[in-house]
Amino acid sequence: MISHSYSLILLGVMFAPKRAALSLPKNALFRTRSQFIQSTASVVFFSDIARIVSGDQSSVACAEDSVGKDLTRNTPRYVESEVQMKYGNDAKGNPRTRGVLVRRFTGDSTPYSFPPPRPISLVKEWPETPPFSKKDFFRADEGDDENFYNLPRLVYHIDEPAVASLTQYYRANVSPGSNILDICSSWVSHYPVEFPKMMKRISGTGMNALELLANDQLTDYEARNLNVNPTLPYDDNSFDVVTCVVSIDYLIHPIEVLKEVRRVLRPGGKVIISQSNRCFPSKAIAMWLNMNDRQHLEL
């Protein structure tokens, strides 16, 4: 694992050839951080997670109403909230409630600036038969992935500048009114704050259902272990854009998954794959760990 004070984000963009809805409770409370910490207000549970959103309510409203304006200046830098989860909530269980304060980066109002992405010349043709062997997909930890991801990790795996660069890229390259699928998703998708209102649909698949439930940018989701079942639960030609954030290196069936991505994409659709120089080395495939950043892009 490379230990730096920054995350390197590399983007790979490909073009395709020519279930229960998630929403915040209506009475979700908006508070400043100090008001939130001092508040004794109860939280309404929906399904297994409840969420209280904090931050400056006027800033959030301003961000939502400023589509077409300079969103990077009108959006708050952070959105803070409490996520509460209930475990063991069944007839034989011993219910436990756990609450955690989380801070989500919006990717806007930061001191960071980014030059326009520059294209890199890559290998244009691959052999018809993929030149990989079984050992290329070996992982140091071959244990059950569902056990590894069993508890939700409401943390970031890339730093704020990396999040901001990715958010700005999405804003510049995903058209309003698109149907988007985020594979290998989690409690954040790094989309601009206005996307839920501007897009027709934002779907997500990921390992942990609680993380997906806490993702307030998704309109629908389905928990799925793509290392066990490398198929996507969607019809052909369902999406305009598919994103995958710093997760392609954990897939042991990446070719099969990408074939599924192509299937669910509409003609002319776009795949945006971002990658980092950080990872869980015990869960990343051997081929990935033995490559440098340039080779990752070539792959």
Side-chain angles (χ1 to χ4, degrees):
M1 182 174 181
I2 300 176
S3 178
H4 290 311
S5 59
Y6 65 91
S7 295
L8 175 65
I9 283 286
L10 300 172
L11 289 169
V13 182
M14 299 181 287
F15 296 88
K18 291 199 161 185
R19 298 179 156 98
L22 168 65
S23 62
L24 288 175
K26 292 181 180 179
N27 58 344
L29 303 176
F30 290 81
R31 303 176 183 275
T32 65
R33 184 178 180 84
S34 59
Q35 289 174 329
F36 172 77
I37 291 175
Q38 295 172 9
S39 172
T40 58
S42 61
V43 180
V44 177
F45 284 91
F46 64 106
S47 187
D48 296 306
I49 287 187
R51 191 182 187 100
I52 288 184
V53 180
S54 64
D56 187 336
Q57 183 178 3
S58 61
S59 298
V60 176
C62 181
E64 293 175 345
D65 293 338
S66 58
V67 175
K69 301 178 183 179
D70 188 355
L71 288 159
T72 62
R73 284 184 292 182
N74 289 324
T75 307
R77 184 172 178 179
Y78 309 113
V79 175
E80 296 170 324
S81 58
E82 181 189 31
V83 176
Q84 292 192 2
M85 301 172 216
K86 187 180 289 185
Y87 298 89
N89 190 26
D90 56 36
K92 298 181 180 179
N94 184 14
R96 291 287 187 272
T97 299
R98 178 187 177 190
V100 59
L101 285 170
V102 295
R103 168 180 281 189
R104 181 166 70 83
F105 302 140
T106 67
D108 291 325
S109 303
T110 71
Y112 315 115
S113 60
F114 310 98
R118 59 184 178 87
I120 298 176
S121 178
L122 302 174
V123 173
K124 294 183 178 180
E125 294 185 8
W126 280 81
E128 186 172 339
T129 302
F132 308 126
S133 64
K134 188 175 181 179
K135 68 180 182 180
D136 290 326
F137 301 98
F138 171 80
R139 299 174 300 166
D141 179 3
E142 292 285 7
D144 188 344
D145 291 326
E146 294 186 25
N147 288 336
F148 185 81
Y149 295 104
N150 183 46
L151 290 177
R153 291 179 170 89
L154 303 181
V155 298
Y156 278 89
H157 303 293
I158 51 177
D159 59 19
E160 188 183 8
V163 171
S165 66
L166 188 56
T167 299
Q168 301 310 323
Y169 185 87
Y170 287 150
R171 179 174 283 134
N173 291 276
V174 179
S175 300
S178 295
N179 289 276
I180 306 173
L181 171 62
D182 190 26
I183 66 170
C184 305
S185 189
S186 67
W187 72 286
V188 287
S189 290
H190 312 300
Y191 298 136
V193 293
E194 72 273 13
F195 265 32
K197 287 194 172 184
M198 292 179 61
M199 302 303 164
K200 290 182 180 177
R201 175 187 184 185
I202 303 178
S203 302
T205 65
M207 288 289 298
N208 189 289
L210 290 176
E211 287 192 24
L212 296 173
L213 185 60
N215 188 331
D216 59 6
Q217 293 191 313
L218 301 180
T219 55
D220 59 272
Y221 69 90
E222 182 163 331
R224 175 158 298 204
N225 184 349
L226 293 176
N227 282 341
V228 172
N229 181 7
T231 63
L232 296 174
Y234 306 103
D235 295 335
D236 296 356
N237 306 320
S238 296
F239 298 98
D240 303 295
V241 179
V242 176
T243 61
C244 181
V245 179
V246 297
S247 297
I248 196 75
D249 44 321
Y250 302 121
L251 296 178
I252 61 176
H253 305 295
I255 296 174
E256 291 84 351
V257 171
L258 290 175
K259 286 181 178 178
E260 280 289 284
V261 167
R262 179 174 178 174
R263 178 185 65 79
V264 302
L265 270 178
R266 292 170 178 154
K270 185 183 300 183
V271 186
I272 303 175
I273 299 175
S274 55
Q275 56 199 49
S276 169
N277 59 0
R278 295 178 176 177
C279 67
F280 293 118
S282 62
K283 282 297 184 182
I285 60 174
M287 176 168 51
W288 188 269
L289 296 177
N290 291 326
M291 291 179 170
N292 58 35
D293 293 327
R294 171 70 186 226
Q295 291 171 318
H296 291 158
L297 279 177
E298 292 279 0
L299 183 64

